[in-house]
Amino acid sequence: MQVYLVGGAVRDHLLGHPYHEKDYVVVGATPEQLLAEGYQPVGKDFPVFLHPKTKEEYALARTERKSGVGYHGFQFFTDTTVKLEEDLIRRDLTINAMAMDDDGTVYDPYGGQQDLDQKILRHVSDAFTEDPLRVLRVARFAARYASYGFKIADETLELMQKIAKSGELDALTPERVWKETSRALLEDHADVYFQTLKACDALKILFPEIDSLFGVPQRPEYHPEIDCGIHTLMALKQACLAKYALDVRFAVLVHDLGKALTPVDELPRHIMHEERGIKPVTDLCDRLKVPTHLKSLALIVCKEHLKCHQVKNLKPGTLWRLLQRLDVLRRPEKVEAFVQACECDAKGRLGLEQRPYPQAQYMLDAMQIVRNIRAQDLPEHVTGPEIGEMLIQYRIEALAKFKELHNN
């Protein structure tokens, strides 16, 4: 029985990239042997075991054969005769098809180290096309390693296009698409993930609402980059640079979906695009089963982001009602996330990436002002329903004073 560290841990070890998860492949062993040594079985489709102490995953070396549609459509074969090279050839990319033994010796039968040195994402074999999930995985790797200068090999991109045209992407479950996408959104170059899906014709299949933005013009005086799709990815890039959380990044990604629905005779203006965006944002979230709190922020950013840009001109009562819709009293963190997303929208424009966005601090100061006014601040004679009404009055008056001071 021989045990090897495989996959991402070997790749990132050689690259000097941080990693936490370790996966192992076991050659020349049977399930009975691992069970006898205290390993716990967890695999449903093929034998995978948890180490009795470290709880890391150990999989028996296996081969696979395509037997159906989608990434579940495989039959696996495990046996003590399966060699390490046979196990590694079924993997997606050469940089993921390396193994390392306890002595630190690297086994690289398919040129992974060379591709690592040359910064190339290349498929291991033509079996790459048998698993549609690999389109998303390669796009995610492209986003993860963009800062290192990695590029997808032309022939691999062609295979990704072949998968997209085959119809196999339709076999991916919403949960799996969202899992890969949410992981990609947390990378430093999440925009590259969507650029890659666009380049291989997968974006229009998996994210038609986002794909529809490309080619739609905007007014150049507000958007020098003009193209709505380009603006969306530029705004997402701002969210990544700022290290914002997943909910903010997703909200930025979908904030302008309504612009794809602007009537042609109204272009390049996008009147009412905020309201038009509600349905495509809802459709995308429901289709991919996006978590509720992400959907909630995405919808309010879609609907209200222009008000944040114009916040200094809002009447005190209008600003109070905006803060109310953001649940300012119970969830100040939602207001903060909203402001972050709006700032990314403002800065995600060609040549305006460094432009100050004072609206952010204005919104946050307004939030603190209304939160600092509480029932105990009211006159003692105020009771019952009058309390709520007077709190609103006090808060609007405080916002009016704040606006006056700010404008002087």
Side-chain angles (χ1 to χ4, degrees):
M1 183 173 76
Q2 295 172 294
V3 177
Y4 300 91
L5 181 68
V6 292
V10 178
R11 174 196 68 226
D12 289 342
H13 170 75
L14 295 173
L15 190 60
H17 187 82
Y19 65 93
H20 304 288
E21 294 184 5
K22 294 181 179 180
D23 294 314
Y24 297 87
V25 66
V26 183
V27 178
T30 64
E32 291 73 23
Q33 284 178 277
L34 293 182
L35 290 172
E37 294 188 17
Y39 286 78
Q40 299 175 331
V42 293
K44 295 180 180 179
D45 298 322
F46 47 83
V48 179
F49 300 83
L50 296 182
H51 190 280
K53 293 182 180 179
T54 66
K55 303 304 178 182
E56 293 170 334
E57 288 192 357
Y58 287 69
L60 292 181
R62 64 187 186 270
T63 59
E64 63 185 30
R65 183 173 63 85
K66 183 76 168 176
S67 59
V69 177
Y71 65 97
H72 281 311
F74 292 91
Q75 290 182 342
F76 298 96
F77 172 74
T78 61
D79 188 86
T80 56
T81 63
V82 176
K83 299 177 181 178
L84 178 63
E85 292 79 4
E86 294 177 288
D87 181 273
L88 295 177
I89 198 172
R90 66 178 179 77
R91 298 175 185 267
D92 49 10
L93 299 174
T94 59
I95 64 171
N96 295 332
M98 297 181 285
M100 182 185 295
D101 63 20
D102 291 339
D103 296 328
T105 301
V106 176
Y107 297 83
D108 178 23
Y110 305 109
Q113 288 188 87
Q114 181 176 339
D115 284 343
L116 206 60
D117 293 338
Q118 296 181 355
K119 298 180 172 53
I120 296 174
L121 301 175
R122 191 194 314 276
H123 62 284
V124 179
S125 72
D126 287 344
F128 178 92
T129 59
E130 295 177 353
D131 185 354
L133 184 63
R134 289 174 171 174
V135 171
L136 295 176
R137 280 176 53 83
V138 173
R140 179 164 60 83
F141 284 130
R144 173 178 293 182
Y145 298 115
S147 58
Y148 292 92
F150 274 78
K151 302 295 181 183
I152 300 173
D154 291 341
E155 60 270 27
T156 301
L157 189 62
E158 288 177 5
L159 291 184
M160 294 167 69
Q161 293 169 336
K162 182 178 178 181
I163 294 173
K165 292 177 182 178
S166 73
E168 284 245 339
L169 291 175
D170 294 332
L172 294 174
T173 65
E175 292 85 357
R176 200 57 197 260
V177 173
W178 173 247
K179 180 179 180 180
E180 292 295 325
T181 301
S182 61
R183 293 176 70 182
L185 280 168
L186 288 172
E187 299 292 352
D188 288 343
H189 296 274
D191 54 302
V192 174
Y193 175 78
F194 297 97
Q195 288 173 351
T196 302
L197 294 180
K198 178 71 174 171
C200 71
D201 301 322
L203 191 66
K204 63 185 177 183
I205 299 171
L206 298 172
F207 302 95
E209 299 89 350
I210 298 172
D211 185 72
S212 296
L213 291 172
F214 288 89
V216 178
Q218 302 174 98
R219 294 171 66 181
E221 62 267 36
Y222 297 113
H223 286 275
E225 72 287 347
I226 300 177
D227 190 285
C228 289
I230 292 174
H231 161 64
T232 292
L233 296 190
M234 290 181 71
L236 177 58
K237 190 172 184 177
Q238 289 295 317
C240 296
L241 287 171
K243 306 290 186 183
Y244 287 147
L246 176 60
D247 59 345
V248 175
R249 299 186 189 205
F250 179 70
V252 170
L253 176 69
V254 301
H255 79 281
D256 264 354
L257 294 188
K259 288 183 176 178
L261 301 177
T262 300
V264 175
D265 60 353
E266 293 182 14
L267 295 175
R269 303 179 70 192
H270 291 278
I271 301 169
M272 302 289 288
H273 77 272
E274 312 97 288
E275 288 77 9
R276 288 193 181 106
I278 297 302
K279 185 179 187 304
V281 171
T282 301
D283 290 347
L284 189 154
C285 290
D286 291 349
R287 184 176 70 251
L288 296 185
K289 302 182 180 179
V290 174
T292 302
H293 70 285
L294 270 72
K295 177 182 177 181
S296 174
L297 180 65
L299 285 169
I300 200 158
V301 169
C302 171
K303 189 174 182 179
E304 310 281 9
H305 61 275
L306 289 189
K307 288 189 177 66
C308 189
H309 299 335
Q310 302 161 354
V311 65
K312 292 185 177 183
N313 297 322
L314 296 183
K315 295 178 180 179
T318 304
L319 177 53
W320 161 244
R321 288 187 289 275
L322 171 61
L323 290 169
Q324 270 191 312
R325 292 193 293 275
L326 289 166
D327 206 2
V328 61
L329 301 179
R330 294 187 305 170
R331 295 188 57 199
E333 70 279 2
K334 187 174 183 179
V335 180
E336 293 172 358
F338 170 79
V339 170
Q340 290 171 351
C342 293
E343 182 168 9
C344 293
D345 173 36
K347 291 184 175 181
R349 308 175 192 218
L350 188 63
L352 303 177
E353 295 87 347
Q354 303 302 320
R355 183 177 61 174
Y357 189 70
Q359 295 94 323
Q361 193 58 53
Y362 191 99
M363 276 285 291
L364 296 177
D365 289 344
M367 174 183 74
Q368 286 304 128
I369 286 170
V370 301
R371 284 179 57 81
N372 287 339
I373 297 174
R374 301 178 182 179
Q376 53 262 41
D377 300 320
L378 303 181
E380 292 184 2
H381 65 82
V382 178
T383 58
E386 294 179 350
I387 293 176
E389 295 174 5
M390 188 160 286
L391 278 173
I392 293 174
Q393 179 183 334
Y394 272 39
R395 286 165 177 153
I396 292 176
E397 290 175 354
L399 288 174
K401 292 178 181 177
F402 168 64
K403 180 176 180 179
E404 183 179 351
L405 287 172
H406 201 277
N407 291 339
N408 290 337

